[in-house]
Amino acid sequence: MKKVISIFIASLAVGTIIYFALDRNAFVPSGGDVGVRQYTSSDYGVSFSYPSDYYLEEKNVESTRGNHHIIVLTEDTEENKDIREGNSPGREGPTSIMLSVYTNPDSKPLDAFIKDSADLSYQFADRKVSTTTISALETYESTWSGLYEGKSYLVSRGQFVYTVSVTWLDPSDKILADFADMVRTLVIE
């Protein structure tokens, strides 16, 4: 009996050590055996993990606030590849996860930054906005509806303002779990 109790206590101790040794912020993809990739940009002070079955595209785009940098994640499927390459006949773009980085050289508070930006006012100024935290920073959160359902977070750090958004068609879409995992691993420095 003492041997059984000793084995039980040893197993419990090993399990406790493993539990506390694991990084509970580590990315665990919701899609099963899918691998994980890491994105890091020292230029924009941001990093995050995302499933390896997503295609990552970066580009600079013109907006009402001047140029800003976007990172778009879409599931890496043949259909989405055709859409990205303009080879898909008449349909809307795929659902996606997007991180946009805007410059904020005057370090304006988020409310003032939103009011000065037509791009962001659709997602934040005319909607019910709540607050949360991402990467230990105060963050605005908004949900919206249009062609797709959407959720966006807005956070400011130093000379940048970041939006992190997801679009989906159905509440059971895999992209929502992937977005939650990505946001959980998001680090803004």
Side-chain angles (χ1 to χ4, degrees):
M1 181 68 169
K2 287 183 183 179
K3 188 173 185 177
V4 171
I5 292 172
S6 295
I7 291 172
F8 174 76
I9 291 172
S11 299
L12 184 62
V14 168
T16 302
I17 290 169
I18 290 171
Y19 174 78
F20 284 104
L22 291 175
D23 179 3
R24 288 191 291 260
N25 287 326
F27 183 87
V28 179
S30 59
D33 295 331
V34 175
V36 177
R37 292 186 180 144
Q38 182 71 25
Y39 173 88
T40 302
S41 172
S42 58
D43 292 339
Y44 299 109
V46 65
S47 66
F48 58 86
S49 298
Y50 65 98
S52 61
D53 64 342
Y54 275 73
Y55 177 79
L56 185 142
E57 180 180 13
E58 291 187 79
K59 55 186 164 184
N60 290 311
V61 296
E62 185 66 30
S63 73
T64 59
R65 298 214 37 95
N67 279 340
H68 72 273
H69 190 73
I70 62 170
I71 301 146
V72 180
L73 294 167
T74 54
E75 282 191 271
D76 197 8
T77 64
E78 281 301 315
E79 180 182 16
N80 288 348
K81 180 182 176 189
D82 287 344
I83 293 168
R84 284 191 304 270
E85 295 174 356
N87 298 327
S88 180
R91 82 160 270 223
E92 300 298 329
T95 57
S96 64
I97 297 170
M98 183 167 59
L99 180 114
S100 297
V101 183
Y102 299 85
T103 57
N104 186 12
D106 302 328
S107 297
K108 289 182 179 181
L110 286 177
D111 289 337
F113 193 86
I114 291 168
K115 287 178 185 171
D116 289 347
S117 173
D119 299 358
L120 299 176
S121 65
Y122 173 76
Q123 294 170 309
F124 293 96
D126 302 328
R127 309 239 181 275
K128 182 180 175 195
V129 175
S130 58
T131 58
T132 187
T133 57
I134 291 178
S135 196
L137 300 169
E138 182 181 31
T139 304
Y140 288 3
E141 176 181 356
S142 175
T143 56
W144 40 276
S145 186
L147 181 61
Y148 300 104
E149 298 302 307
K151 182 176 199 169
S152 296
Y153 295 108
L154 181 73
V155 61
S156 178
R157 173 103 188 196
Q159 66 177 351
F160 297 115
V161 171
Y162 306 85
T163 62
V164 188
S165 303
V166 62
T167 56
W168 71 90
L169 297 170
D170 186 270
S172 65
D173 287 351
K174 174 184 172 293
I175 197 167
L176 287 168
D178 293 336
F179 177 70
D181 289 341
M182 180 263 202
V183 168
R184 191 173 40 79
T185 66
L186 180 63
V187 175
I188 299 172
E189 299 176 7

